[in-house]
Amino acid sequence: MKKLVTLALGATFALGAFAQAFPSKPITFVVPFAAGGPTDLVARQLAETMRKYIPNANIVVENAAGAGGTIGAAKVARAAPDGHTLLVWHIGMAATAGLYRKLPYKPLEDFEYVGMINDVPMTLLGSNKLNANTYRDFEAYIRTNGGKLNLAHAGLGSASHLCGLMWQHAVKLDKSMTTIAYRGTGPAMNDLIGGQVDVMCDQTTNTTSQIEGGRVKAFAVTTAKPLSKHPVLKDYPSLQEMGLKGFELTIWHGMYAPKGTPAPVLKTLNDALVKSLKDADFIKKQDELGAIVVTDGRMTPEGHKKYVADQITKLKTVIDAAGQYAD
Ligand code: MLT
């Protein structure tokens, strides 16, 4: 009996010690795109907020860009499953499952799902050099000049690529634009501002300040309805309103840990994430960028995973219709 009590006490102590042991070193948020872009921004705002809710946490952001986000995702799938290496990624987690014939990880099997972060509309943009000011002008201009123009995106499977693919398919251009892949829409935005590329579809988190500053032209938003309450984006039409029937694309971000991360660590991370999603300062910062912080069941690991599984099925239909794949 005495031995049993000792064992039980030992186990309790070990569990307590384990719980206290996380984090035992800096936590790294891996962003699978270049610094200065939309995913980087969300990850940095979240790191700053989550730090408040995980005692003794030092959270750093690492950019592991390339191949539309799949390089960074593979890095996290292979990392030690101890909660210190986490992936902050967006809709690409689901889109790449339909776009890539071969992926270096299995989206639904090689990760623990921590929870979803936000939903982010996109904006269709052009360089200030384009001879068009409204969506109607822009579409007419593209119909005539599309073959001569460049569309920037952040690699096959990125949100900007998916949006460009869907939009070009929906408007049925005779001549597709030449696509130019960047390591993220942070650097792509610099070239759009400089006029080295002509068109981009990007998340409002990256575009709002550039539109407000007049550095790029915005033509439309990708939500079903216009963002009528947003101070900067309220006057832009939705692509549906402009006649692209059923066009709707909203980007979401989520957090992932390597498969096998212990349940108590996942709980610590999810608790801190949920507290961050209710943090007034975080909500305000996201709101200013046009992003909507998640408040529903997708905040839970189960809800998040179910949503991604549904999105994989939904996006595969869209990608198959466009008929373009990555090798
Ligand atoms: C980024 O952070 O650069 C983006 O999320 C890229 C994209 O997916 O379009």
Side-chain angles (χ1 to χ4, degrees):
M1 180 65 183
K2 195 173 163 201
K3 202 171 169 188
L4 262 182
V5 172
T6 316
L7 274 177
L9 278 175
T12 313
F13 176 75
L15 260 178
F18 178 76
Q20 277 162 19
F22 178 78
S24 59
K25 57 181 181 178
I27 299 172
T28 301
F29 284 2
V30 174
V31 167
F33 293 104
T39 314
D40 186 64
L41 183 62
V42 169
R44 283 177 202 275
Q45 287 189 353
L46 187 64
E48 198 185 312
T49 315
M50 272 179 77
R51 227 173 254 142
K52 294 197 243 171
Y53 300 116
I54 305 179
N56 305 320
N58 174 15
I59 307 180
V60 294
V61 173
E62 179 189 317
N63 299 89
T70 59
I71 290 177
K75 181 175 175 150
V76 175
R78 288 192 300 263
D82 57 10
H84 292 95
T85 310
L86 303 168
L87 174 69
V88 176
W89 198 13
H90 59 32
I91 196 167
M93 182 61 129
T96 52
L99 269 164
Y100 281 72
R101 293 188 212 275
K102 211 166 163 229
L103 277 177
Y105 53 83
K106 295 192 184 74
L108 294 172
E109 290 167 38
D110 292 349
F111 297 93
E112 303 291 351
Y113 282 60
V114 180
M116 261 182 68
I117 305 164
N118 62 11
D119 291 302
V120 192
M122 300 192 90
T123 39
L124 187 60
L125 308 171
S127 125
N128 278 344
K129 288 183 178 170
L130 283 191
N131 189 15
N133 288 318
T134 63
Y135 179 77
R136 294 263 182 251
D137 293 349
F138 175 63
E139 203 185 295
Y141 184 79
I142 293 287
R143 287 202 182 284
T144 326
N145 299 286
K148 288 183 243 153
L149 299 179
N150 292 323
L151 176 126
H153 64 76
L156 299 182
S158 63
S160 42
H161 171 244
L162 184 67
C163 184
L165 192 71
M166 284 171 65
W167 176 70
Q168 290 196 80
H169 181 69
V171 290
K172 300 186 177 63
L173 292 184
D174 291 342
K175 281 198 183 135
S176 306
M177 287 180 270
T178 305
T179 56
I180 313 272
Y182 287 77
R183 292 167 78 77
T185 49
M189 179 62 85
N190 293 338
D191 280 3
L192 188 71
I193 294 169
Q196 287 90 344
V197 285
D198 308 297
V199 179
M200 181 161 76
C201 185
D202 196 14
Q203 297 159 67
T204 59
T205 33
N206 199 35
T207 64
T208 305
S209 64
Q210 311 298 356
I211 297 167
E212 191 176 21
R215 289 178 283 276
V216 290
K217 291 181 180 182
F219 299 118
V221 295
T222 63
T223 38
K225 295 197 174 127
L227 301 170
S228 49
K229 293 205 177 107
H230 193 274
V232 178
L233 306 168
K234 63 180 186 324
D235 294 327
Y236 297 101
S238 72
L239 286 169
Q240 278 206 31
E241 267 184 337
M242 292 291 99
L244 302 190
K245 205 164 161 262
F247 194 106
E248 186 173 4
L249 183 60
T250 302
I251 303 311
W252 39 267
H253 289 85
M255 179 177 282
Y256 309 84
K259 187 79 189 169
T261 304
V265 172
L266 287 172
K267 178 158 175 13
T268 302
L269 290 168
N270 177 261
D271 285 351
L273 174 65
V274 170
K275 284 182 185 145
S276 302
L277 299 180
K278 296 178 178 165
D279 182 288
D281 193 39
F282 182 68
I283 295 173
K284 183 168 174 284
K285 284 185 180 151
Q286 291 281 298
D287 191 45
E288 282 164 3
L289 296 166
I292 303 127
V293 169
V294 163
T295 54
D296 54 30
R298 296 173 300 164
M299 286 193 284
T300 66
E302 305 72 37
H304 178 197
K305 189 167 183 177
K306 178 170 184 326
Y307 188 74
V308 174
D310 291 348
Q311 286 272 293
I312 290 177
T313 312
K314 185 174 167 200
L315 290 171
K316 192 167 177 347
T317 318
V318 173
I319 291 160
D320 286 346
Q324 284 183 37
Y325 304 93
D327 287 326

